[in-house]
Coordinates of all heavy atoms in Angstrom, one line a residue:
M1 N 0.8 -1.2 0.0 CA 0.0 0.0 0.0 C 0.9 1.2 0.0 O 1.9 1.3 0.7 CB -0.9 0.0 1.3 CG -2.1 0.9 1.1 SD -3.1 0.8 2.7 CE -2.5 2.4 3.4
T2 N 0.6 2.2 -0.8 CA 1.4 3.4 -0.8 C 0.9 4.3 0.3 O -0.2 4.4 0.7 CB 1.1 4.3 -2.1 OG1 0.4 3.5 -3.0 CG2 2.4 4.7 -2.7
N3 N 1.9 4.9 1.0 CA 1.6 5.8 2.1 C 1.3 7.2 1.5 O 2.2 7.9 1.0 CB 2.8 5.8 3.0 CG 2.6 6.7 4.2 OD1 1.8 7.6 4.2 ND2 3.4 6.5 5.2
P4 N 0.1 7.7 1.7 CA -0.3 9.0 1.1 C 0.5 10.2 1.7 O 0.8 11.1 1.0 CB -1.8 9.2 1.4 CG -2.1 8.2 2.5 CD -1.0 7.1 2.4
I5 N 0.9 10.1 3.0 CA 1.6 11.1 3.6 C 3.0 11.2 3.0 O 3.5 12.3 2.7 CB 1.7 10.9 5.2 CG1 0.3 11.0 5.7 CG2 2.6 12.0 5.8 CD1 0.2 10.8 7.2
R6 N 3.7 10.0 2.9 CA 5.0 10.1 2.3 C 5.0 10.6 0.9 O 5.8 11.3 0.5 CB 5.6 8.6 2.3 CG 7.0 8.6 1.8 CD 7.7 7.3 2.0 NE 7.8 7.0 3.4 CZ 8.1 5.8 3.8 NH1 8.3 4.8 3.0 NH2 8.2 5.5 5.1
F7 N 3.9 10.2 0.2 CA 3.8 10.7 -1.2 C 3.8 12.2 -1.3 O 4.5 12.8 -2.1 CB 2.6 10.0 -1.9 CG 2.4 10.6 -3.3 CD1 3.2 10.1 -4.3 CD2 1.5 11.6 -3.6 CE1 3.1 10.6 -5.6 CE2 1.4 12.1 -4.9 CZ 2.2 11.6 -5.9
S8 N 2.9 12.8 -0.5 CA 2.8 14.3 -0.6 C 4.1 15.0 -0.1 O 4.4 16.0 -0.6 CB 1.6 14.8 0.2 OG 1.5 14.2 1.5
L9 N 4.8 14.3 0.9 CA 6.1 14.9 1.3 C 7.0 15.0 0.2 O 7.7 16.0 -0.1 CB 6.7 14.1 2.4 CG 6.5 14.6 3.8 CD1 7.1 13.6 4.8 CD2 7.1 16.0 4.0
V10 N 7.1 13.9 -0.6 CA 8.0 13.9 -1.7 C 7.6 15.0 -2.7 O 8.4 15.7 -3.3 CB 8.0 12.5 -2.4 CG1 8.7 12.5 -3.8 CG2 8.7 11.5 -1.5
A11 N 6.3 15.1 -2.9 CA 5.8 16.1 -3.9 C 6.2 17.5 -3.4 O 6.7 18.4 -4.2 CB 4.3 16.0 -4.1
V12 N 6.1 17.8 -2.1 CA 6.4 19.1 -1.6 C 7.9 19.4 -1.8 O 8.4 20.4 -2.2 CB 6.0 19.2 -0.1 CG1 6.7 20.4 0.5 CG2 4.5 19.3 0.0
M13 N 8.7 18.3 -1.5 CA 10.2 18.5 -1.6 C 10.6 18.7 -3.0 O 11.5 19.5 -3.3 CB 10.9 17.3 -1.0 CG 11.0 17.4 0.5 SD 11.5 15.8 1.3 CE 13.2 15.8 0.6
A14 N 10.0 18.1 -3.9 CA 10.3 18.3 -5.3 C 10.0 19.7 -5.7 O 10.8 20.3 -6.5 CB 9.5 17.3 -6.2
G15 N 8.9 20.2 -5.2 CA 8.5 21.6 -5.5 C 9.5 22.6 -5.0 O 9.9 23.5 -5.6
A16 N 10.0 22.3 -3.7 CA 11.0 23.2 -3.1 C 12.3 23.2 -3.8 O 12.9 24.2 -4.0 CB 11.2 22.8 -1.6
L17 N 12.7 22.0 -4.3 CA 14.0 21.9 -5.0 C 13.9 22.6 -6.4 O 14.9 23.2 -6.8 CB 14.3 20.4 -5.3 CG 14.8 19.6 -4.1 CD1 15.1 18.2 -4.4 CD2 16.1 20.3 -3.6
A18 N 12.7 22.6 -7.0 CA 12.6 23.3 -8.3 C 12.8 24.8 -8.0 O 13.2 25.5 -8.9 CB 11.2 23.1 -8.9
G19 N 12.5 25.2 -6.8 CA 12.9 26.6 -6.3 C 12.1 27.7 -7.0 O 12.7 28.8 -7.1
C20 N 10.9 27.4 -7.5 CA 10.2 28.6 -8.0 C 8.7 28.3 -7.9 O 8.3 27.2 -7.7 CB 10.6 28.8 -9.5 SG 10.0 27.6 -10.6
G21 N 7.9 29.3 -8.2 CA 6.5 29.2 -8.1 C 5.9 28.8 -9.4 O 4.6 28.8 -9.5
G22 N 6.7 28.3 -10.3 CA 6.1 27.9 -11.6 C 5.8 29.1 -12.5 O 6.0 30.2 -12.1
A23 N 5.2 28.8 -13.6 CA 4.9 29.9 -14.6 C 3.4 30.0 -14.6 O 2.7 29.1 -14.7 CB 5.5 29.5 -15.9
S24 N 2.9 31.3 -14.6 CA 1.5 31.5 -14.7 C 1.2 31.6 -16.2 O 2.0 32.1 -17.0 CB 1.2 32.9 -14.1 OG -0.1 33.3 -14.5
D25 N 0.0 31.1 -16.6 CA -0.4 31.2 -18.0 C -1.3 32.4 -18.2 O -1.9 32.5 -19.3 CB -1.0 29.9 -18.5 CG -2.2 29.5 -17.7 OD1 -2.6 30.3 -16.8 OD2 -2.8 28.4 -17.9
Y26 N -1.3 33.3 -17.2 CA -2.1 34.5 -17.4 C -1.6 35.3 -18.6 O -0.4 35.5 -18.7 CB -2.0 35.3 -16.1 CG -2.6 36.7 -16.3 CD1 -4.0 36.9 -16.3 CD2 -1.7 37.8 -16.6 CE1 -4.5 38.2 -16.6 CE2 -2.3 39.1 -16.8 CZ -3.6 39.3 -16.8 OH -4.1 40.5 -17.1
K27 N -2.5 35.7 -19.4 CA -2.2 36.5 -20.6 C -3.1 37.7 -20.7 O -4.3 37.6 -20.7 CB -2.3 35.6 -21.9 CG -1.8 36.2 -23.1 CD -1.9 35.2 -24.2 CE -1.5 35.6 -25.6 NZ -0.6 36.6 -25.9
P28 N -2.5 38.9 -20.5 CA -3.4 40.1 -20.6 C -4.0 40.3 -21.9 O -3.4 40.0 -23.0 CB -2.4 41.2 -20.2 CG -1.1 40.7 -20.5 CD -1.1 39.3 -20.4
V29 N -5.2 40.9 -22.0 CA -5.8 41.3 -23.2 C -5.0 42.4 -23.8 O -4.6 43.3 -23.0 CB -7.3 41.8 -23.0 CG1 -7.9 42.3 -24.3 CG2 -8.1 40.6 -22.4
A30 N -4.7 42.4 -25.1 CA -3.8 43.4 -25.7 C -4.4 44.8 -25.4 O -5.6 45.0 -25.5 CB -3.7 43.2 -27.2
G31 N -3.5 45.7 -25.0 CA -3.9 47.1 -24.7 C -4.5 47.3 -23.3 O -5.0 48.4 -23.0
S32 N -4.4 46.3 -22.4 CA -4.9 46.4 -21.1 C -4.1 47.5 -20.3 O -2.9 47.5 -20.4 CB -4.8 45.1 -20.3 OG -5.6 44.1 -20.9
A33 N -4.8 48.3 -19.5 CA -4.1 49.2 -18.6 C -3.4 48.5 -17.5 O -3.9 47.4 -17.1 CB -5.1 50.2 -18.1
P34 N -2.3 49.0 -17.0 CA -1.5 48.3 -16.0 C -2.4 48.1 -14.7 O -2.2 47.0 -14.1 CB -0.4 49.3 -15.6 CG -0.6 50.5 -16.4 CD -1.6 50.2 -17.5
E35 N -3.3 49.0 -14.4 CA -4.1 48.7 -13.2 C -5.0 47.5 -13.4 O -5.3 46.8 -12.5 CB -4.9 49.9 -12.7 CG -5.7 50.6 -13.8 CD -5.0 51.8 -14.4 OE1 -3.8 51.7 -14.8 OE2 -5.6 52.9 -14.5
Q36 N -5.4 47.3 -14.7 CA -6.3 46.1 -14.9 C -5.5 44.9 -14.8 O -5.9 43.9 -14.2 CB -6.9 46.3 -16.3 CG -8.0 45.2 -16.6 CD -8.5 45.3 -18.0 OE1 -8.3 46.3 -18.7 NE2 -9.1 44.2 -18.4
I37 N -4.3 44.9 -15.4 CA -3.4 43.7 -15.4 C -3.1 43.4 -13.9 O -3.1 42.2 -13.5 CB -2.1 43.9 -16.2 CG1 -2.4 44.2 -17.6 CG2 -1.1 42.7 -16.0 CD1 -1.2 44.5 -18.5
F38 N -2.8 44.4 -13.1 CA -2.5 44.2 -11.7 C -3.7 43.5 -11.0 O -3.5 42.6 -10.3 CB -2.1 45.5 -11.0 CG -1.5 45.3 -9.7 CD1 -0.1 45.1 -9.6 CD2 -2.3 45.1 -8.6 CE1 0.5 44.8 -8.3 CE2 -1.7 44.8 -7.3 CZ -0.3 44.7 -7.2
A39 N -4.9 44.1 -11.3 CA -6.1 43.5 -10.6 C -6.3 42.1 -11.0 O -6.6 41.3 -10.1 CB -7.3 44.4 -10.9
E40 N -6.0 41.7 -12.2 CA -6.2 40.4 -12.7 C -5.1 39.4 -12.3 O -5.4 38.3 -11.9 CB -6.3 40.4 -14.2 CG -7.6 41.1 -14.7 CD -7.6 41.3 -16.2 OE1 -6.6 40.9 -16.9 OE2 -8.6 41.8 -16.8
A41 N -3.9 39.8 -12.3 CA -2.8 38.9 -12.2 C -2.1 39.0 -10.8 O -1.5 38.0 -10.4 CB -1.7 39.1 -13.3
C42 N -2.1 40.1 -10.1 CA -1.2 40.3 -9.0 C -2.0 40.5 -7.7 O -1.5 40.2 -6.6 CB -0.3 41.5 -9.2 SG 0.3 41.7 -10.9
A43 N -3.2 41.1 -7.8 CA -3.9 41.5 -6.6 C -4.3 40.4 -5.7 O -4.4 40.5 -4.5 CB -5.2 42.3 -6.9
S44 N -4.4 39.2 -6.3 CA -4.8 38.0 -5.4 C -3.8 37.7 -4.4 O -4.1 37.2 -3.3 CB -5.0 36.8 -6.3 OG -3.9 36.5 -7.1
C45 N -2.5 38.0 -4.6 CA -1.5 37.8 -3.6 C -1.0 39.2 -3.0 O -0.6 39.2 -1.9 CB -0.2 37.2 -4.3 SG -0.5 35.4 -4.7
H46 N -1.0 40.2 -3.8 CA -0.4 41.5 -3.3 C -1.4 42.5 -2.9 O -1.0 43.6 -2.5 CB 0.5 42.1 -4.4 CG 1.8 41.3 -4.6 ND1 2.8 41.2 -3.7 CD2 2.1 40.4 -5.6 CE1 3.8 40.4 -4.2 NE2 3.4 39.9 -5.3
G47 N -2.7 42.1 -2.9 CA -3.7 43.0 -2.4 C -4.1 44.1 -3.5 O -3.4 44.3 -4.5
E48 N -5.2 44.7 -3.3 CA -5.7 45.7 -4.2 C -4.6 46.8 -4.3 O -4.1 47.4 -3.3 CB -7.0 46.4 -3.6 CG -7.8 47.0 -4.7 CD -9.1 47.6 -4.1 OE1 -9.6 47.1 -3.1 OE2 -9.5 48.7 -4.6
K49 N -4.2 47.2 -5.6 CA -3.2 48.2 -5.9 C -1.9 47.9 -5.2 O -1.1 48.8 -4.9 CB -3.7 49.6 -5.5 CG -4.9 50.0 -6.3 CD -5.4 51.4 -6.0 CE -6.6 51.7 -6.9 NZ -7.2 53.0 -6.5
G50 N -1.6 46.6 -4.8 CA -0.3 46.3 -4.2 C -0.2 46.7 -2.7 O 0.9 46.8 -2.1
S51 N -1.4 46.9 -2.1 CA -1.4 47.4 -0.7 C -1.1 46.4 0.3 O -1.0 46.6 1.5 CB -2.8 48.1 -0.4 OG -3.8 47.1 -0.6
G52 N -1.0 45.1 -0.2 CA -0.6 44.0 0.7 C -1.8 43.2 1.1 O -2.9 43.6 0.9
K53 N -1.5 42.1 1.7 CA -2.5 41.1 2.2 C -2.2 41.0 3.7 O -1.1 40.9 4.1 CB -2.3 39.8 1.5 CG -3.0 39.7 0.2 CD -4.3 39.0 0.2 CE -5.1 39.3 -1.0 NZ -6.2 38.4 -1.2
F54 N -3.3 40.8 4.5 CA -3.1 40.7 5.9 C -2.2 41.7 6.5 O -1.1 41.4 7.0 CB -2.6 39.2 6.2 CG -3.2 38.2 5.4 CD1 -2.5 37.5 4.5 CD2 -4.6 37.9 5.5 CE1 -3.0 36.5 3.7 CE2 -5.2 36.9 4.7 CZ -4.4 36.2 3.8
G55 N -2.5 43.0 6.3 CA -1.6 44.0 6.8 C -0.5 44.3 5.8 O -0.8 44.4 4.6
F56 N 0.7 44.2 6.2 CA 1.8 44.6 5.4 C 2.4 43.4 4.6 O 3.3 43.6 3.8 CB 2.9 45.3 6.2 CG 2.6 46.7 6.5 CD1 2.0 47.0 7.7 CD2 2.9 47.7 5.6 CE1 1.7 48.3 8.0 CE2 2.5 49.0 5.9 CZ 2.0 49.3 7.1
L57 N 1.9 42.2 4.8 CA 2.4 41.1 4.1 C 2.3 41.3 2.6 O 1.2 41.5 2.1 CB 1.7 39.8 4.6 CG 2.4 38.5 4.5 CD1 3.7 38.6 5.2 CD2 1.5 37.4 4.9
L58 N 3.3 41.1 1.9 CA 3.4 41.2 0.4 C 3.0 42.5 -0.1 O 2.6 42.7 -1.3 CB 2.5 40.1 -0.2 CG 3.0 38.7 0.0 CD1 2.1 37.7 -0.7 CD2 4.4 38.5 -0.5
K59 N 3.1 43.6 0.7 CA 2.9 44.9 0.2 C 4.0 45.3 -0.8 O 5.2 45.2 -0.5 CB 2.9 45.9 1.4 CG 2.7 47.4 1.0 CD 2.6 48.2 2.2 CE 2.2 49.6 2.0 NZ 3.3 50.4 1.3
I60 N 3.6 45.8 -2.0 CA 4.6 46.2 -3.0 C 4.3 47.6 -3.5 O 5.0 48.2 -4.3 CB 4.7 45.2 -4.2 CG1 3.4 44.9 -4.8 CG2 5.4 44.0 -3.8 CD1 3.5 44.1 -6.1
A61 N 3.1 48.2 -3.1 CA 2.8 49.6 -3.5 C 3.9 50.5 -3.1 O 4.4 50.4 -2.0 CB 1.5 50.0 -2.9
G62 N 4.2 51.5 -4.0 CA 5.3 52.4 -3.6 C 6.6 51.8 -3.5 O 7.5 52.4 -2.8
S63 N 6.9 50.7 -4.1 CA 8.2 50.0 -4.0 C 9.4 50.9 -4.3 O 9.3 51.7 -5.2 CB 8.2 48.8 -4.9 OG 9.4 48.2 -4.9
D64 N 10.4 50.7 -3.5 CA 11.7 51.4 -3.7 C 12.6 50.7 -4.8 O 13.6 51.3 -5.2 CB 12.5 51.5 -2.4 CG 11.8 52.4 -1.4 OD1 11.1 53.3 -1.9 OD2 12.1 52.2 -0.2
H65 N 12.2 49.6 -5.2 CA 13.0 48.8 -6.2 C 13.0 49.5 -7.5 O 12.0 50.2 -7.9 CB 12.4 47.4 -6.4 CG 12.6 46.5 -5.2 ND1 13.8 46.2 -4.7 CD2 11.7 45.9 -4.3 CE1 13.7 45.4 -3.6 NE2 12.4 45.3 -3.4
E66 N 14.1 49.4 -8.2 CA 14.2 49.9 -9.6 C 13.2 49.2 -10.5 O 12.8 48.1 -10.2 CB 15.6 49.7 -10.1 CG 16.7 50.3 -9.3 CD 16.7 51.8 -9.4 OE1 16.2 52.3 -10.4 OE2 17.1 52.4 -8.4
V67 N 12.7 50.0 -11.5 CA 11.8 49.4 -12.5 C 12.3 48.1 -13.0 O 11.6 47.1 -13.1 CB 11.5 50.4 -13.6 CG1 10.8 49.7 -14.8 CG2 10.7 51.6 -13.1
A68 N 13.6 48.0 -13.3 CA 14.2 46.8 -13.9 C 14.2 45.6 -12.9 O 14.0 44.5 -13.3 CB 15.7 47.1 -14.3
E69 N 14.3 45.9 -11.6 CA 14.1 44.8 -10.6 C 12.7 44.3 -10.6 O 12.5 43.1 -10.5 CB 14.5 45.3 -9.2 CG 16.0 45.6 -9.0 CD 16.2 46.2 -7.6 OE1 16.1 45.4 -6.7 OE2 16.5 47.4 -7.5
I70 N 11.8 45.2 -10.7 CA 10.4 44.7 -10.7 C 10.0 44.0 -11.9 O 9.4 42.9 -11.9 CB 9.4 45.9 -10.4 CG1 9.8 46.6 -9.1 CG2 8.0 45.5 -10.4 CD1 9.0 47.9 -8.8
T71 N 10.4 44.5 -13.1 CA 10.1 43.8 -14.3 C 10.8 42.4 -14.3 O 10.2 41.4 -14.8 CB 10.5 44.6 -15.6 OG1 11.9 44.9 -15.5 CG2 9.8 45.9 -15.7
G72 N 12.0 42.3 -13.8 CA 12.7 41.1 -13.7 C 11.9 40.1 -12.8 O 11.8 38.9 -13.1
K73 N 11.4 40.6 -11.7 CA 10.6 39.8 -10.8 C 9.4 39.2 -11.5 O 9.0 38.0 -11.3 CB 10.2 40.6 -9.6 CG 9.5 39.8 -8.5 CD 10.5 39.1 -7.7 CE 9.9 38.1 -6.7 NZ 10.8 37.5 -5.9
I74 N 8.7 40.0 -12.3 CA 7.5 39.6 -13.0 C 7.9 38.5 -14.0 O 7.2 37.5 -14.2 CB 6.8 40.8 -13.7 CG1 6.4 41.8 -12.7 CG2 5.6 40.3 -14.5 CD1 5.9 43.2 -13.3
A75 N 9.0 38.7 -14.7 CA 9.5 37.8 -15.7 C 10.0 36.5 -15.1 O 9.7 35.4 -15.7 CB 10.5 38.4 -16.6
E76 N 10.6 36.5 -14.0 CA 11.3 35.4 -13.4 C 10.6 34.7 -12.3 O 10.8 33.5 -12.0 CB 12.7 35.8 -12.9 CG 13.4 36.7 -13.8 CD 14.7 36.1 -14.4 OE1 15.4 35.5 -13.7 OE2 14.8 36.1 -15.7
G77 N 9.7 35.5 -11.6 CA 9.0 34.9 -10.4 C 10.0 34.8 -9.3 O 11.1 35.3 -9.3
G78 N 9.6 34.0 -8.2 CA 10.4 33.9 -7.1 C 10.2 32.5 -6.5 O 9.8 31.6 -7.2
M79 N 10.6 32.3 -5.2 CA 10.4 31.1 -4.5 C 8.9 30.6 -4.5 O 8.6 29.5 -4.7 CB 10.9 31.2 -3.1 CG 12.4 31.3 -2.9 SD 13.2 29.7 -3.4 CE 12.8 28.7 -2.0
V80 N 8.1 31.6 -4.3 CA 6.6 31.3 -4.2 C 5.9 32.0 -5.4 O 5.0 31.4 -6.0 CB 6.1 31.9 -2.9 CG1 4.6 31.6 -2.9 CG2 6.8 31.3 -1.7
M81 N 6.3 33.2 -5.8 CA 5.6 33.9 -6.8 C 5.9 33.2 -8.2 O 7.0 32.9 -8.5 CB 6.2 35.3 -6.9 CG 5.5 36.1 -7.9 SD 5.9 37.9 -7.7 CE 5.8 38.4 -9.4
P82 N 4.8 33.0 -9.0 CA 5.0 32.5 -10.3 C 5.6 33.5 -11.2 O 5.5 34.7 -11.0 CB 3.5 32.2 -10.7 CG 2.7 33.1 -9.9 CD 3.4 33.3 -8.6
S83 N 6.2 33.1 -12.3 CA 6.7 34.0 -13.4 C 5.5 34.2 -14.3 O 4.5 33.4 -14.4 CB 7.8 33.4 -14.1 OG 7.5 32.1 -14.7
F84 N 5.6 35.3 -15.1 CA 4.5 35.7 -16.0 C 5.1 35.9 -17.4 O 5.2 37.0 -17.9 CB 3.8 36.9 -15.5 CG 3.0 36.8 -14.3 CD1 3.6 36.9 -13.0 CD2 1.6 36.4 -14.3 CE1 2.8 36.7 -11.8 CE2 0.9 36.3 -13.2 CZ 1.5 36.4 -11.9
P85 N 5.4 34.7 -18.1 CA 6.0 34.8 -19.4 C 5.1 35.5 -20.4 O 5.6 36.0 -21.4 CB 6.4 33.4 -19.7 CG 5.5 32.5 -18.8 CD 5.3 33.3 -17.6
E86 N 3.8 35.5 -20.2 CA 2.9 36.0 -21.2 C 2.7 37.5 -21.0 O 2.0 38.1 -21.8 CB 1.5 35.3 -21.1 CG 1.6 33.8 -21.4 CD 1.9 33.5 -22.8 OE1 1.7 34.3 -23.7 OE2 2.3 32.3 -23.1
I87 N 3.2 38.1 -20.0 CA 3.1 39.6 -19.8 C 4.3 40.2 -20.6 O 5.5 39.9 -20.2 CB 3.1 40.0 -18.4 CG1 1.8 39.4 -17.7 CG2 3.1 41.5 -18.2 CD1 1.7 39.9 -16.2
G88 N 4.0 40.9 -21.6 CA 5.1 41.4 -22.5 C 6.0 42.5 -21.8 O 5.7 43.0 -20.7
E89 N 7.1 42.8 -22.5 CA 8.1 43.7 -21.9 C 7.5 45.1 -21.6 O 7.7 45.6 -20.5 CB 9.2 43.8 -22.9 CG 10.6 44.0 -22.3 CD 11.7 44.0 -23.3 OE1 11.7 43.1 -24.2 OE2 12.5 45.0 -23.3
A90 N 6.8 45.6 -22.5 CA 6.2 46.9 -22.4 C 5.2 46.9 -21.2 O 5.1 47.9 -20.4 CB 5.5 47.4 -23.7
E91 N 4.4 45.8 -21.1 CA 3.4 45.7 -20.1 C 4.1 45.6 -18.7 O 3.6 46.1 -17.7 CB 2.5 44.5 -20.4 CG 1.5 44.8 -21.5 CD 1.0 43.5 -22.2 OE1 1.8 42.5 -22.2 OE2 -0.1 43.5 -22.7
R92 N 5.2 44.9 -18.7 CA 5.9 44.7 -17.4 C 6.4 46.1 -16.9 O 6.4 46.4 -15.7 CB 7.1 43.7 -17.6 CG 6.7 42.3 -17.8 CD 7.8 41.3 -17.4 NE 9.0 41.4 -18.3 CZ 9.1 40.6 -19.4 NH1 8.2 39.8 -19.7 NH2 10.2 40.7 -20.2
A93 N 7.0 46.8 -17.9 CA 7.5 48.2 -17.5 C 6.3 49.1 -17.0 O 6.5 49.8 -16.0 CB 8.2 48.8 -18.7
A94 N 5.2 49.0 -17.7 CA 4.0 49.8 -17.2 C 3.5 49.4 -15.9 O 3.2 50.2 -15.0 CB 2.9 49.7 -18.3
L95 N 3.6 48.0 -15.6 CA 3.2 47.5 -14.3 C 4.1 48.0 -13.2 O 3.7 48.4 -12.1 CB 3.2 46.0 -14.3 CG 1.9 45.2 -14.6 CD1 2.3 43.7 -14.6 CD2 0.9 45.5 -13.5
A96 N 5.4 48.0 -13.5 CA 6.4 48.4 -12.5 C 6.2 49.9 -12.2 O 6.2 50.3 -11.0 CB 7.8 48.2 -13.0
T97 N 6.0 50.7 -13.2 CA 5.8 52.1 -13.0 C 4.5 52.4 -12.2 O 4.5 53.2 -11.2 CB 5.6 52.9 -14.3 OG1 6.8 52.5 -15.1 CG2 5.6 54.4 -14.2
Y98 N 3.5 51.6 -12.5 CA 2.2 51.6 -11.8 C 2.4 51.3 -10.3 O 1.9 52.0 -9.4 CB 1.2 50.7 -12.4 CG 0.0 50.4 -11.6 CD1 -1.1 51.3 -11.6 CD2 -0.2 49.2 -10.9 CE1 -2.2 51.1 -10.9 CE2 -1.3 49.0 -10.1 CZ -2.3 49.9 -10.1 OH -3.4 49.7 -9.4
I99 N 3.1 50.2 -10.0 CA 3.3 49.8 -8.6 C 4.1 50.9 -7.8 O 3.7 51.2 -6.7 CB 4.2 48.5 -8.6 CG1 3.3 47.3 -9.1 CG2 4.7 48.2 -7.2 CD1 4.1 46.1 -9.4
K100 N 5.1 51.4 -8.4 CA 5.9 52.5 -7.7 C 5.1 53.7 -7.5 O 5.4 54.4 -6.5 CB 7.2 52.8 -8.6 CG 8.2 51.7 -8.5 CD 9.4 51.9 -9.5 CE 10.3 53.1 -9.1 NZ 11.1 52.7 -7.9
A101 N 4.1 54.0 -8.3 CA 3.3 55.2 -8.2 C 2.2 55.0 -7.1 O 1.6 56.1 -6.8 CB 2.7 55.6 -9.5
Q102 N 2.0 53.8 -6.6 CA 0.9 53.7 -5.7 C 1.2 54.2 -4.3 O 2.4 54.1 -3.9 CB 0.4 52.2 -5.6 CG -0.1 51.6 -6.9 CD -1.2 52.5 -7.6 OE1 -2.2 52.8 -6.9 NE2 -0.9 53.0 -8.7
Ligands
HEC201 C1 0.7 33.4 -6.1 C2 0.9 34.7 -5.4 C3 1.5 35.8 -6.2 C4 1.1 36.4 -7.3 C5 -0.1 36.0 -8.2 C6 2.0 37.5 -7.6 N1 3.0 37.6 -6.6 FE1 4.5 38.9 -6.5 N2 5.3 37.9 -4.9 C7 4.7 36.9 -4.2 C8 5.5 36.4 -3.1 C9 5.1 35.3 -2.2 C10 6.6 37.3 -3.1 C11 7.8 37.2 -2.2 C12 8.5 35.9 -2.2 C13 8.9 35.4 -3.6 O1 9.7 36.1 -4.3 O2 8.4 34.4 -4.0 C14 6.4 38.2 -4.2 C15 7.3 39.2 -4.5 C16 7.1 40.2 -5.5 C17 7.9 41.4 -5.7 C18 9.2 41.7 -4.9 C19 8.8 42.5 -3.7 C20 10.0 42.9 -2.9 O3 9.9 43.8 -2.1 O4 11.1 42.3 -3.0 C21 7.4 42.1 -6.7 C22 7.9 43.5 -7.2 C23 6.2 41.4 -7.1 N3 6.0 40.3 -6.3 C24 5.3 41.9 -8.1 C25 4.2 41.1 -8.6 C26 3.5 41.5 -9.7 C27 3.7 42.7 -10.6 C28 2.5 40.5 -9.9 C29 1.5 40.4 -11.0 C30 2.0 40.4 -12.4 C31 2.7 39.5 -8.9 N4 3.8 39.9 -8.1 C32 2.0 38.4 -8.7 C33 3.5 36.3 -4.6 C34 2.7 36.6 -5.7

């Protein structure tokens, strides 16, 4: 009999070793405004307008990071955050500017 607990442990460890949140297949409608893309793709984790979830957790509004760091984060993702390969370069830059302006 397979042990379901052991199986899920292996699955979690494999995910941790891969070291990323995977890739999102979110694709913005062409010509979407950055606030719309943010609401659709980012707000579920970073809160409305990047104001954070559960208080300051994951707050990114008014970020001090350079635009290039933010666009890189969107393109590459993180340990938990998925990458967004379908968000184009111009849209990533617009999103970064939008986040910093909040
Ligand atoms: C599934 C949840 C999730 C989604 C969706 C998500 N993020 Fe994140 N984001 C995170 C987590 C968790 C971190 C911090 C840990 C990490 O890098 O994985 C993070 C970190 C960041 C950072 C770096 C913050 C810092 O101060 O270092 C930026 C910038 C960012 N996200 C922007 C975005 C943008 C823009 C989108 C939408 C295109 C987005 N995120 C979508 C979960 C998410």
